[in-house]
Amino acid sequence: GNPANTGGDIWLYSLAKKSKHKLTSSDTNDSKPVFDPQGRYLYFASDRDFNLTFGDRDSAFIYTESTRVYAGLLTPDSPALHRPKSDEVSLGDDEDNGKGDDNDKQKETLIDIVPQGFEGRVAALTESGGSIGALSANDKGLFYLSGRDEETELKFYDIEAEEETTVLAGISDYALASGGEKILYVQGEQWGIVDAAAEQSTENGGELDLSTMQLRIDPLVEWRQMYVDQWRILRDWFYDPNMHGNDWPAIRDQYAPLVEHLAHRADLDYIFGEIAGELNAGHNYVQSGDQPSVERLDGGLLGAEIVPADGYFRVRKIFAGQTWNEQARSPLAQPGVNVSAGDYILAVDGDSTAGVDNFYRLLENKGDRVVTLTVNASPRPKGAREVMVRTVTSETGLRYLDWVDSRRAMVDRLSGGRVGYFHLPNTAFEGHRELYRLFPAQTHKEAMLIDVRYNGGGFIPDQMAEVIGRKALSYWKQRGLDPSPTPFISHEGPKAALINHYSSSGGDAFPYYFRALGLGPLIGTRTWGGLIGISGNPQLADGGGILTSTFRFMDSAGNFVVENEGVSPDYEVVDRPELLARGEDPSLEFAVKYLLEQLEKHPPKKIVAPPAPTDFN
């Protein structure tokens, strides 16, 4: 099995940001444009602020909360923003002043646009930056979502009053009615309608009762439409308009007869899988839509290896986990739980384990619940004690941490403490966690082994490779301390990376970048070969469809590489299953030997500060 938490192929926040619609040719990142209904302004979000902060784990400079809401005058004659206003009032008797003709409201607004000089007519509407989305405008001003997750608020900027107010708090989405007078919002499972005005509340009426709402669906009719829609989505979003040489109309005709014989939504997924396969491209994933599913009832797990012994069950090994981290909580390793490897579990919640064919039968449907274990150092009831623990529903993370610790201990033993080791399970959140959890603490090691076997991909890992490849640019001497480098996270010694056929997607890209930066050899077996990536595409009406490959990896010379090829090792070493079962690790052992040889050929030089100067003449 795969010992790593491979995560998922997230691909790619960086690309998604780069692909935003550009309004200008300046060095800004503009997006989400919406026209003022009166034809005065173009509203949009833009990343124009530079709010510098610093990473907690690194000396990296990070810019956050860069986005604010802006408005640009569509013509030089449009009403200017943020101009001084007179406090004088008119006492004229024109009762129709400002009211206009009702018939005018029925007329279409013709919008004039003068592109020349637009950038010089842009003004910021909001004073501070943040996460901005879902812009909509009515005659009075602009609506937009601000914030993230539960902190999201619907804001309104009043053009006349030039002030920002909150319309609704804690909603996830909204839609402005065509007349601009009402707002449809969604908050969790609740839908409602409120006035398009400041200081509205989801608790003061407006909630829609959808309990009796029903929708009649003719599945076969819906599936026919979804089949054609998905065929079109692939046609329009796949990175290659030539569809890898396929006659795309012929593909539609080839599989269309099968749609008439569908009996279940899963059957449509099967057809989608066949169509996606015609492209011979990675990352074309079929995602199931709206269909019946069975509710999962999680069994309980104890974070340990439990084996039958002497008529009962014995704890063979307890996975240490991390007692401070709920995501890596190991029930039997928690403080105050008096259970050790070698102890017998005689009963679970009073049910004896004697003669039970499967220990986990006694933990059925008890995931994340408190259970009482009857425990003893010997297989007999006399002298037994009761221990209360809260189970977990998965041991994958615990077993992964144990596997990493065992690999690190093996490298330490084989190298006499000279070689550091860390594993990257993916190039997404978990991979970055492991990079910063283990790499900085081992930069004093003379050599470094980076393990990307079983890497499940995620983000483009250029920054990962850059951090690992950093060299010291200078050192600083402080009183009583050894010289410290800049960058703080840097390593001077030889390096090597482990790869295998489970190194996929970002796990293909990392070894490619590792080699391109000249960081060291790749050891193991050829990687998966999946570097046609995904950045998002439309889904079908029921939420399913095919996640379509929208871009493909190229080398610095402009050639398509890696996809359907993989990245080949410099030294091929096969991790044979029977050797792994015996506790050996062939590619890891080879890598340690290689690194020790490099240290013998190029002995590391320890940086020692000279005596401080005393003669300043």
Side-chain angles (χ1 to χ4, degrees):
N2 185 343
N5 177 10
T6 57
D9 290 294
I10 300 174
W11 288 110
L12 276 278
Y13 288 166
S14 59
L15 184 74
K17 289 183 69 64
K18 291 176 183 176
S19 66
K20 287 180 179 178
H21 175 67
K22 293 286 185 179
L23 294 174
T24 72
S25 60
S26 66
D27 57 350
T28 60
N29 195 5
D30 306 324
S31 63
K32 306 176 182 67
V34 58
F35 283 104
D36 163 35
Q38 294 191 35
R40 299 166 295 178
Y41 312 112
L42 179 65
Y43 301 112
F44 59 96
S46 185
D47 300 341
R48 302 190 181 209
D49 289 355
F50 293 87
N51 303 313
L52 179 61
T53 186
F54 303 94
D56 291 336
R57 302 288 181 178
D58 199 348
S59 57
F61 300 123
I62 302 171
Y63 294 91
T64 62
E65 309 296 336
S66 301
T67 309
R68 284 199 277 165
V69 177
Y70 294 79
L73 278 61
L74 290 174
T75 73
D77 297 328
S78 299
L81 298 164
H82 306 322
R83 294 291 301 157
K85 296 181 180 179
S86 172
D87 58 0
E88 297 179 356
V89 297
S90 172
L91 298 179
D93 59 357
D94 185 359
E95 296 181 359
D96 193 46
N97 183 32
K99 295 182 179 180
D101 188 340
D102 288 342
N103 292 330
D104 291 342
K105 297 181 180 179
Q106 306 300 323
K107 297 178 182 179
E108 292 185 358
T109 301
L110 298 179
I111 298 178
D112 293 327
I113 301 176
V114 179
Q116 294 79 9
F118 175 82
E119 182 70 8
R121 304 194 298 267
V122 169
L125 301 185
T126 54
E127 295 182 1
S128 58
S131 178
I132 303 295
L135 276 62
S136 300
N138 65 9
D139 289 344
K140 300 176 182 178
L142 180 70
F143 297 87
Y144 48 92
L145 293 178
S146 176
R148 294 183 176 89
D149 302 324
E150 293 80 10
E151 303 298 322
T152 301
E153 294 182 330
L154 176 59
K155 298 285 190 177
F156 175 68
Y157 185 87
D158 189 310
I159 284 293
E160 181 65 27
E162 295 191 350
E163 63 180 10
E164 178 189 52
T165 55
T166 299
V167 179
L168 289 169
I171 69 172
S172 57
D173 206 353
Y174 81 101
L176 182 66
S178 60
E181 301 295 328
K182 298 288 183 179
I183 285 174
L184 172 68
Y185 70 87
V186 57
Q187 183 181 53
E189 298 296 321
Q190 175 182 328
W191 293 73
I193 296 176
V194 295
D195 292 334
E199 305 302 331
Q200 300 296 302
S201 173
T202 59
E203 300 177 356
N204 298 334
E207 181 178 351
L208 299 176
D209 181 8
L210 305 180
S211 60
T212 60
M213 185 176 181
Q214 294 181 333
L215 177 66
R216 180 182 293 276
I217 295 175
D218 185 336
L220 187 56
V221 172
E222 186 175 84
W223 295 338
R224 288 173 186 149
Q225 178 182 347
M226 291 166 64
Y227 173 81
V228 176
D229 284 347
Q230 186 55 66
W231 175 85
R232 287 171 174 158
I233 291 170
L234 282 169
R235 178 196 65 188
D236 297 339
W237 287 78
F238 189 60
Y239 88 99
D240 175 22
N242 193 43
M243 308 305 287
H244 276 185
N246 283 285
D247 182 340
W248 207 238
I251 293 293
R252 171 184 171 177
D253 296 341
Q254 177 182 345
Y255 290 97
L258 299 178
V259 178
E260 302 303 316
H261 302 282
L262 299 180
H264 192 276
R265 177 63 176 80
D267 297 338
L268 183 60
D269 282 344
Y270 175 81
I271 297 176
F272 285 162
E274 294 297 299
I275 293 177
E278 297 284 355
L279 291 171
N280 291 296
H283 290 90
N284 281 348
Y285 298 135
V286 176
Q287 298 178 311
S288 295
D290 185 13
Q291 54 187 283
S293 61
V294 177
E295 181 184 359
R296 181 182 179 90
L297 301 177
D298 291 314
L301 298 168
L302 299 177
E305 291 181 354
I306 312 294
V307 297
D310 303 313
Y312 292 96
F313 285 86
R314 183 170 58 84
V315 180
R316 181 166 65 186
K317 177 179 180 177
I318 297 175
F319 298 110
Q322 296 171 339
T323 58
W324 63 91
N325 181 4
E326 178 61 26
Q327 303 304 315
R329 178 176 59 85
S330 182
L332 299 186
Q334 290 300 102
V337 176
N338 187 20
V339 177
S340 303
D343 283 348
Y344 291 83
I345 300 178
L346 307 181
V348 177
D349 286 337
D351 294 327
S352 175
T353 63
V356 174
D357 60 340
N358 185 337
F359 173 79
Y360 294 98
R361 184 189 301 277
L362 303 178
L363 291 171
E364 185 176 358
N365 197 21
K366 293 184 179 181
D368 198 28
R369 294 186 186 181
V370 175
V371 298
T372 301
L373 307 178
T374 303
V375 181
N376 203 350
S378 60
R380 60 176 182 268
K382 184 178 180 180
R385 62 192 184 279
E386 289 190 345
V387 178
M388 297 178 66
V389 299
R390 183 160 60 91
T391 65
V392 294
T393 58
S394 172
E395 293 176 344
T396 302
L398 297 174
R399 293 176 180 271
Y400 169 70
L401 288 174
D402 181 77
W403 182 80
V404 171
D405 287 344
S406 69
R407 300 308 92 185
R408 191 152 53 103
M410 180 182 292
V411 169
D412 197 62
R413 173 176 54 82
L414 293 174
S415 69
R418 302 180 71 188
V419 179
Y421 167 90
F422 60 94
H423 179 262
L424 301 178
N426 54 41
T427 58
F429 298 102
E430 296 83 1
H432 283 82
R433 176 198 68 201
E434 292 300 292
L435 171 62
Y436 283 96
R437 184 174 77 92
L438 293 177
F439 182 43
Q442 299 180 85
T443 52
H444 65 285
K445 299 280 189 178
E446 297 173 69
M448 194 69 62
L449 178 58
I450 301 94
D451 193 346
V452 288
R453 296 175 296 180
Y454 313 104
N455 184 291
F459 306 138
I460 294 176
D462 55 316
Q463 294 184 40
M464 276 183 154
E466 181 270 325
V467 169
I468 293 168
R470 286 178 185 168
K471 301 292 185 183
L473 301 177
S474 68
Y475 289 86
W476 302 89
K477 181 67 178 77
Q478 291 178 275
R479 182 172 177 171
L481 300 176
D482 290 335
S484 58
T486 294
F488 171 70
I489 300 178
S490 58
H491 184 263
E492 295 292 325
K495 300 174 182 65
L498 301 180
I499 58 175
N500 66 5
H501 59 289
Y502 288 112
S503 305
S504 58
S505 190
D508 290 297
F510 179 86
Y512 185 92
Y513 295 148
F514 191 87
R515 174 180 284 159
L517 291 174
L519 301 184
L522 305 175
I523 298 169
T525 53
R526 184 162 56 98
T527 65
W528 180 56
L531 280 185
I532 290 182
I534 50 182
S535 57
N537 55 271
Q539 294 179 305
L540 298 176
D542 70 348
I546 301 176
L547 195 56
T548 307
S549 306
T550 55
F551 57 94
R552 182 168 182 167
F553 189 83
M554 298 170 62
D555 64 18
S556 57
N559 304 303
F560 286 132
V561 292
V562 181
E563 171 68 18
N564 283 336
E565 300 175 19
V567 178
S568 296
D570 298 294
Y571 300 99
E572 185 175 47
V573 181
V574 178
D575 290 330
R576 288 164 43 188
E578 77 278 12
L579 299 180
L580 295 177
R582 291 208 303 255
E584 301 178 34
D585 197 326
S587 58
L588 182 146
E589 294 167 22
F590 181 96
V592 172
K593 181 180 178 182
Y594 167 84
L595 290 172
L596 291 176
E597 291 173 352
Q598 294 302 304
L599 290 175
E600 291 301 314
K601 294 178 181 178
H602 310 286
K605 178 183 178 182
K606 182 175 176 60
I607 300 297
V608 178
T614 57
D615 184 1
F616 295 95
N617 295 325

